[in-house]
Amino acid sequence: MTTTAVVPNDVLRAVRIGLRLSQDDFAKALRRAGVELGEPNEASKRLVQRWESGTSKTPRGVYARALERVTGRPVEALGFALPVPMARVHADGKGGHDMETSATSVASAAVGTQTGEETFSGVWLSRYEFFSSSRDDAYEGKHYVVIVQHGSRLTVQSLPGASSNPDSPLTLDLTVDRNVVTGTWVEQTAADGYYNGARYHGAIQLLVEPTGRRMAGKWVGFGKDFDVNTGPWELRLVDRSTTKATLERYSQPPE
């Protein structure tokens, strides 16, 4: 008889850690979200544990909507094994399209061999540069982010209050192929800031140094006038730990 291996949902765990919530606090936040949405749920620490361990792979609708409310991410981006109708199609970079697939153990092994590190998980300093046409000058954005690796995928989320620009959360979804990191980024600017709460997003590709402690490359994305912009982006490791105390220590604007 064939049995299906249980695969931990490290994406959901990474998002929860990035929000600095314990499993119990996360469950409470889901219950509050349910009340706010007008559909109360019975989320518990045990349910969160089942999701993160991979024992429970697909949340019911009431929980899926609460998860989106709490995390600010679509449920299909939270590591769940969703029904086929919810699968997303993405460009393969060769003029065609592929269905989203899970990471492979071969890619994961290649990462360890190339970088000499078992994992990229930890707290990193993210820094990118951009040119503001409306201000006719170059600027930089910095965040402390937490990275959790699951196979060949990296889930990246800025820590609360850890942005050089107030209330400017950043998320990245990345895939590692040997020493090349490719993926997407999303940044939500502050509602009362210069960009009036605008949501920016785009693509990113980085090269990993042999030490595995620095990634550097380029981002690309649309600007306010819908012109395609690009600029340098760098991630530097600052702490391998992802404990609550460590995350709290870096929940402040980078210098």
Side-chain angles (χ1 to χ4, degrees), residues 23-52:
Q23 291 178 330
D24 190 45
D25 290 337
F26 191 57
K28 291 177 181 176
L30 292 173
R31 293 198 297 272
R32 286 195 298 271
V35 173
E36 293 169 358
L37 292 168
E39 44 183 22
N41 62 66
E42 299 179 352
S44 63
K45 177 180 178 180
R46 176 57 180 159
L47 178 60
V48 175
Q49 290 174 335
R50 288 175 59 81
W51 285 337
E52 293 188 357

Side-chain angles (χ1 to χ4, degrees), residues 152-246:
S152 64
R153 296 187 62 187
L154 308 178
T155 298
V156 187
Q157 180 158 325
S158 61
L159 294 168
S163 167
S164 57
N165 300 311
D167 301 320
S168 184
L170 171 72
T171 60
L172 299 93
D173 289 299
L174 308 173
T175 300
V176 183
D177 183 2
R178 297 184 182 274
N179 68 325
V180 180
V181 176
T182 305
T184 58
W185 59 270
V186 178
E187 184 170 5
Q188 180 70 50
T189 63
D192 57 351
Y194 181 82
Y195 292 103
N196 300 315
R199 179 178 180 272
Y200 292 98
H201 58 94
I204 183 173
Q205 191 161 58
L206 309 168
L207 291 177
V208 184
E209 291 188 346
T211 61
R213 301 179 65 86
R214 179 176 179 267
M215 312 176 199
K218 296 281 189 177
W219 62 267
V220 63
F222 284 103
K224 289 201 303 182
D225 299 323
F226 296 100
D227 52 338
V228 179
N229 300 315
T230 188
W233 199 314
E234 176 190 64
L235 289 167
R236 284 185 179 273
L237 178 68
V238 295
D239 201 312
R240 285 286 181 198
S241 173
T242 57
T243 64
K244 184 176 181 180
T246 300

